[in-house]
Amino acid sequence: QISPSHTDTSSDSQWPNIVILTGAGISAESGLKTFRDNDGLWEEHAVEEVATPEAFTRNPELVYRFYNQRREQLQSDDVQPNAAHIALAQLEAALPEHVLVITQNVDDLHERAGSKNVLHMHGELLSARCNHSHRRFIMKSPFDCTSRCQCCSPSQTIRPDIVWFGEMPFHMDEIERAVQEADVFISIGTSGNVYPAAGLVQIANHYGAHTVELNLVPSDGNNDFLEAHYGLASDVVPSYLTQYLKGK
Ligand code: APR
């Protein structure tokens, strides 16, 4: 159970603002593939065939199939939040208003673990977007080429609500402001390959946050962190957060 060593967390000043960046590694033990590990998604699929706006224009069926497969897997019973997701949700419950999860992941495991304050900078698998109005909505059925929006007349093509390579991530103004104001910046389960997410630690360092990497192995940006602990997220995240709160 992640909880502060003392019960009174009401007075704001004493608790820091904790911003957490997560990547595919935090969901690996829940059974979802990462991108750049062995047997990762980018081993099986060429990015330019399934994860760019040009790919969608060129061959929407292939892109729909790629995201339908990931949606189906995410919705299967054996994919559940793991101890790392749960520890983050417990941290937020213990320190309401002081914890923000910025995730590169498009799964809903943070929310299913109980995290409320979550920003998906690369979009979400379970929603869709109108290709014309860019309105977003929950997509219950699989994508297919007859899928049309309900917001335009005549109705238009819809696309997965995913930020593809070459597109701007969501919520960047809010994310940069939160990282600038963070007292603690914790990066979990990301290889530090993709910007702007990979550059957030430099902003955190510049604005004086204590920066921590929790990962299976040192990431490409590991030298930018003041502290690091390596191991499986389901081990290293709960133990780090417990120790962190005891030390406050
Ligand atoms: N526990 C902790 N870390 C893990 C675990 C685990 N069980 N398994 C893997 N990792 C680590 C790997 O060592 C690696 O550093 O998670 C990281 C996963 O890296 P990537 O596969 O590159 O995933 P990510 O960093 O999230 O990719 C960023 O790239 O393709 C785009 O949009 C996509 O959001 C994604 C972005």
Side-chain angles (χ1 to χ4, degrees):
Q1 176 67 19
I2 305 283
S3 61
S5 46
H6 59 283
T7 50
D8 169 26
T9 59
S10 52
S11 55
D12 280 5
S13 58
Q14 72 196 31
W15 286 101
N17 286 321
I18 307 171
V19 172
I20 296 118
L21 171 69
T22 64
I26 198 171
S27 297
E29 292 162 85
S30 297
L32 296 180
K33 284 182 182 289
T34 63
F35 293 95
R36 295 173 182 83
D37 290 320
N38 299 335
D39 88 346
L41 282 169
W42 297 149
E43 300 252 311
E44 292 167 359
H45 302 273
V47 168
E48 52 280 349
E49 281 174 15
V50 293
T52 65
E54 296 75 19
F56 185 62
T57 307
R58 188 172 54 245
N59 188 344
E61 289 86 352
L62 181 64
V63 174
Y64 281 150
R65 198 167 32 231
F66 176 61
Y67 288 97
N68 282 340
Q69 279 167 354
R70 294 176 66 191
R71 287 161 52 91
E72 193 181 331
Q73 192 203 12
L74 176 58
Q75 291 169 305
S76 66
D77 291 345
D78 49 10
V79 173
Q80 298 296 332
N82 64 57
H85 297 105
I86 293 164
L88 290 178
Q90 289 175 338
L91 178 74
E92 182 185 341
L95 303 176
E97 311 301 318
H98 289 274
V99 177
L100 169 67
V101 173
I102 298 166
T103 186
Q104 299 173 88
N105 299 341
V106 293
D107 61 58
D108 61 342
L109 295 177
H110 283 303
E111 290 84 350
R112 283 167 50 191
S115 287
K116 305 267 182 292
N117 210 7
V118 181
L119 291 177
H120 285 266
M121 61 189 299
H122 290 168
E124 298 180 68
L125 263 185
L126 300 183
S127 50
R129 217 177 330 139
C130 169
N131 219 18
H132 179 70
S133 72
H134 308 299
R135 284 221 190 125
R136 304 168 69 197
F137 51 93
I138 298 296
M139 179 80 182
K140 294 220 183 308
S141 54
F143 289 104
D144 72 41
C145 285
T146 62
S147 307
R148 287 288 177 274
C149 78
Q150 271 137 37
C151 47
C152 305
S153 166
S155 62
Q156 303 288 318
T157 314
I158 58 174
R159 59 170 277 179
D161 182 25
I162 300 291
V163 175
W164 283 325
F165 286 91
E167 295 184 318
M168 266 307 284
F170 293 134
H171 312 298
M172 279 318 293
D173 292 345
E174 191 177 350
I175 286 172
E176 279 167 8
R177 203 168 38 251
V179 173
Q180 289 168 11
E181 289 161 12
D183 300 296
V184 183
F185 178 83
I186 305 172
S187 177
I188 303 172
T190 180
S191 61
N193 260 286
V194 173
Y195 286 79
L200 295 177
V201 59
Q202 279 103 345
I203 298 174
N205 280 326
H206 179 76
Y207 282 84
H210 179 64
T211 51
V212 186
E213 175 168 78
L214 305 177
N215 207 56
L216 191 61
V217 294
S219 71
D220 290 4
N222 69 90
N223 296 322
D224 294 322
F225 292 91
L226 294 172
E227 182 180 1
H229 301 274
Y230 295 111
L232 292 171
S234 62
D235 293 337
V236 76
V237 174
S239 57
Y240 179 76
L241 294 180
T242 302
Q243 165 265 332
Y244 172 78
L245 285 167
K246 284 208 172 77
K248 288 318 296 171

